[in-house]
Amino acid sequence: MRVVLAEDLFLLRDGLRTLLEAHGFEVVAAVETGPELERALVEQRPDVAVVDVRLPPTQTDEGLRAALAARREVPGLPVLVLSQHVEQLYARELLADGAGGVGYLLKDRVFNADQFLDAVRRVAAGGTAMDPEVISKLVARRTTPLQRLTPREHEVLALMAEGRSNAAIAQQLVLSDGAVSKHIASIFSKLDLAGSGDSNRRVLAVLEYLKP
């Protein structure tokens, strides 16, 4: 199985290469920068890429951006991302790409050789290998305070986001002013908006509603 490896730390890059080759993988390129990675992926078209998120020259998201750019040239190119920390934006961006095998492992998992090699094989086969901690963070993000609201409270908040007054909300939903006030108070409570004033809490509730 042909592998392109991208890791800027020499010792880790060399260790990964040794590990992969000892288990029958062919490391066709081992690079240390984002531009080198993108070129290697497009030219070599490996069975799987093992990529550190942060690579020179920017040491930010160079590795992931190079991998995503290569996947646009080589649709479905399997990519296993390694990262020091759970970076939800990167995980979501990789998953959103939606084609071919993908994986996201914390670097700590690399020290379990069997677990790491199994992840490489699964991604190469078109599957996924997501770190349990990454999944936990992604699921936790989906459990937003908005999910505590009732359907009626969602309707009220949606109208608040449109800039409607309490009276306009009452008219639109055929409710009394008092009922609207109770719904809004419940929204503030469920969104944990104990505030210094209703005006601020109203804005904060709308901002929470509009979060992507």
Side-chain angles (χ1 to χ4, degrees), residues 69-192:
R71 277 164 70 97
R72 286 193 286 274
E73 295 280 330
V74 187
L77 174 68
V79 175
L80 173 61
V81 168
L82 303 178
S83 179
Q84 195 70 38
H85 308 287
V86 178
E87 298 174 273
Q88 294 181 46
L89 178 61
Y90 298 147
R92 289 179 188 283
E93 189 168 358
L94 183 67
L95 290 170
D97 186 63
V102 292
Y104 191 113
L105 290 186
L106 295 183
K107 285 188 174 178
D108 288 349
R109 310 290 177 193
V110 172
F111 297 108
N112 183 323
D114 290 340
Q115 194 173 45
F116 170 67
L117 293 169
D118 178 60
V120 175
R121 292 189 183 100
R122 274 188 286 142
V123 171
T128 58
M130 301 301 291
D131 194 286
E133 193 171 336
V134 175
I135 293 173
S136 175
K137 290 287 179 67
L138 294 177
V139 170
R141 177 65 186 89
R142 288 202 299 269
T143 308
T144 70
L146 289 174
Q147 291 176 303
R148 303 172 191 160
L149 305 187
T150 66
R152 177 62 88 186
E153 288 164 352
H154 270 282
E155 289 180 309
V156 171
L157 185 52
L159 291 170
M160 288 167 61
E162 292 178 13
R164 307 290 182 89
S165 65
N166 285 13
I169 293 171
Q171 183 177 15
Q172 172 119 4
L173 298 180
V174 194
L175 296 172
S176 67
D177 289 352
V180 171
S181 295
K182 285 183 180 177
H183 283 308
I184 292 175
S186 179
I187 290 168
F188 291 159
S189 174
K190 290 179 180 178
L191 297 184
D192 299 322

Side-chain angles (χ1 to χ4, degrees), residues 45-67:
R45 307 206 170 203
D47 298 308
V48 61
V50 178
V51 176
D52 185 7
V53 167
R54 296 175 184 239
L55 292 176
T58 66
Q59 288 289 5
T60 55
D61 58 353
E62 201 82 8
L64 179 65
R65 287 197 287 113

